Amino acid sequence: MEKLVLFFIALLLIDTAFAQQIPELAVAKATYNFIHVRDTNNRSKPYEEEMLLMLGKNSSRFTSNVRFKQELEFITGIESQIKANGGSLNGLTIKSNRKRATLNEDYLTFFNENKTALVTRLINYYLVEDSIPQISWEIKKDTANFSGIKCQKATAWFGGRNWIAWFASALPFQAGPWKLNGLPGLIIEAYDDKKDIQFLFAGFEATNISEKDRPQQQLTKGLDIFALANEIKAPNKAIKTTKEELKKLVKASNENPAGFAKAQLSGTPFAQLAELASKTNVVATNTNPAPIINNPIEIK
């Protein structure tokens, strides 16, 4: 319970301002049904989740659409309570709407800067920067239609897997789900040759958002609901780290969640959250053990 209190209060108050001074707005969004055979000893029960690809003119953000909607609903609910209470946190009820575990990693790509950013939330945000992976696609003559979108086939070896991708040249984005990129059109669908990993097309829409729609900060300090919904950016207070160090942090979080949360908040303004939490009603839904993953997306 202590871990949940700290986690949800931190989620409420943590600063989500972003590194780019003027982040790109998403001009379109694509959704995918993600299917992953995480445990090769249990192939009949793959992990499944709806994912979201936010598309800017020169950038993209790939994230859990389930988590995205949950966070937006959570923050909107907090905003409504604070507004109804005259801007006060007194009597605030924090209710988790997380009915299932979701992926907590975001993959951001900034094409003009040849840069990617893996953002992982472990109470604090951690960021691993890298250059955009260069994938040697072989474009085929095969074509197919996905919900009326004409696509062409391409194949490549990447991350230890043989990938098959279907891209739409009519949608002029270099991006795709996860780290897949570099085709002359949006990657609509992709999977490896064993179909252990599948990104199945679920929808595409234009956002019709312009600069005049970029609003000011909302009532909850440091949170901008619009940023969650329409801007492509990574937290400017994210702690830069390496892939190796991030693995150690994930392991520590899985092995001792409560102790990890205390260590993360130590020495920060959130160290005194217990006092606020004692005055706050927290309704938890469930906790989940670390999943068995012996078949990661990227093998090498």
Side-chain angles (χ1 to χ4, degrees):
M1 179 59 72
E2 181 180 7
K3 173 208 169 189
L4 289 169
V5 169
L6 292 174
F7 179 80
F8 289 115
I9 297 287
L11 176 61
L12 167 64
L13 297 177
I14 202 162
D15 185 347
T16 53
F18 279 70
Q20 294 171 294
Q21 289 186 350
I22 305 179
E24 257 200 331
L25 297 175
V27 298
K29 298 178 181 180
T31 50
Y32 302 83
N33 292 321
F34 172 53
I35 302 173
H36 179 190
V37 179
R38 287 175 160 182
D39 183 1
T40 54
N41 296 315
N42 193 13
R43 287 184 170 276
S44 63
K45 294 183 178 180
Y47 181 84
E48 298 187 35
E49 186 165 348
E50 185 180 73
M51 305 299 290
L52 171 67
L53 180 63
M54 299 169 62
L55 297 157
K57 294 179 181 178
N58 298 294
S59 61
S60 67
R61 173 188 174 192
F62 187 63
T63 188
S64 164
N65 203 29
V66 178
R67 173 167 52 84
F68 182 90
K69 291 176 180 178
Q70 288 175 349
E71 290 184 353
L72 192 59
E73 179 186 346
F74 177 81
I75 294 171
T76 303
I78 295 298
E79 287 280 350
S80 298
Q81 288 188 63
I82 293 174
K83 186 175 181 180
N85 205 27
S88 173
L89 292 175
N90 294 329
L92 184 67
T93 297
I94 298 176
K95 181 177 180 180
S96 168
N97 61 347
R98 295 171 186 266
K99 298 178 176 61
R100 52 160 290 184
T102 60
L103 299 176
N104 68 339
E105 296 180 335
D106 283 22
Y107 290 93
L108 295 101
T109 306
F110 304 98
F111 293 101
N112 285 351
E113 302 173 55
N114 188 34
K115 184 175 70 175
T116 64
L118 166 63
V119 177
T120 303
R121 189 181 61 200
L122 299 169
I123 307 299
N124 288 311
Y125 286 97
Y126 288 89
L127 182 146
V128 177
E129 292 184 334
D130 205 346
S131 57
I132 296 175
Q134 301 300 306
I135 304 174
S136 299
W137 294 102
E138 182 179 346
I139 296 176
K140 307 291 186 178
K141 293 182 179 180
D142 311 58
T143 60
N145 279 276
F146 296 86
S147 300
I149 302 174
K150 184 178 180 180
C151 296
Q152 191 169 351
K153 184 178 181 180
T155 60
W157 171 263
F158 174 66
R161 297 183 184 274
N162 285 309
W163 287 94
I164 296 94
W166 296 89
F167 68 96
S169 55
L171 299 175
F173 299 98
Q174 306 174 58
W178 184 53
K179 297 181 181 181
L180 302 177
N181 74 91
L183 282 165
L186 176 66
I187 297 175
I188 292 292
E189 190 156 310
Y191 42 84
D192 73 316
D193 58 353
K194 295 180 181 179
K195 293 199 172 179
D196 281 355
I197 315 294
Q198 300 181 69
F199 300 102
L200 305 180
F201 180 65
F204 177 85
E205 63 175 344
T207 59
N208 297 316
I209 295 294
S210 65
E211 287 296 328
K212 65 181 178 62
D213 299 312
R214 201 190 295 263
Q216 300 298 313
Q217 294 284 322
Q218 303 296 312
L219 283 172
T220 43
K221 294 180 180 180
L223 287 172
D224 186 344
I225 295 176
F226 183 88
L228 281 172
N230 296 291
E231 292 184 323
I232 301 173
K233 55 190 184 179
N236 68 353
K237 290 194 175 181
I239 301 167
K240 288 188 178 181
T241 188
T242 64
K243 293 178 183 178
E244 293 72 22
E245 288 301 317
L246 182 59
K247 287 180 182 178
K248 293 178 182 178
L249 288 165
V250 171
K251 182 180 179 182
S253 176
N254 289 335
E255 291 178 349
N256 183 7
F260 183 83
K262 285 183 179 179
Q264 289 284 289
L265 296 172
S266 177
T268 74
F270 306 121
Q272 298 179 1
L273 283 176
E275 182 179 349
L276 175 59
S278 66
K279 303 175 184 178
T280 304
N281 300 317
V282 178
V283 182
T285 51
N286 63 10
T287 56
N288 297 276
I292 297 173
I293 304 177
N294 59 28
N295 185 28
I297 300 178
E298 195 165 9
I299 299 173
K300 64 175 185 176

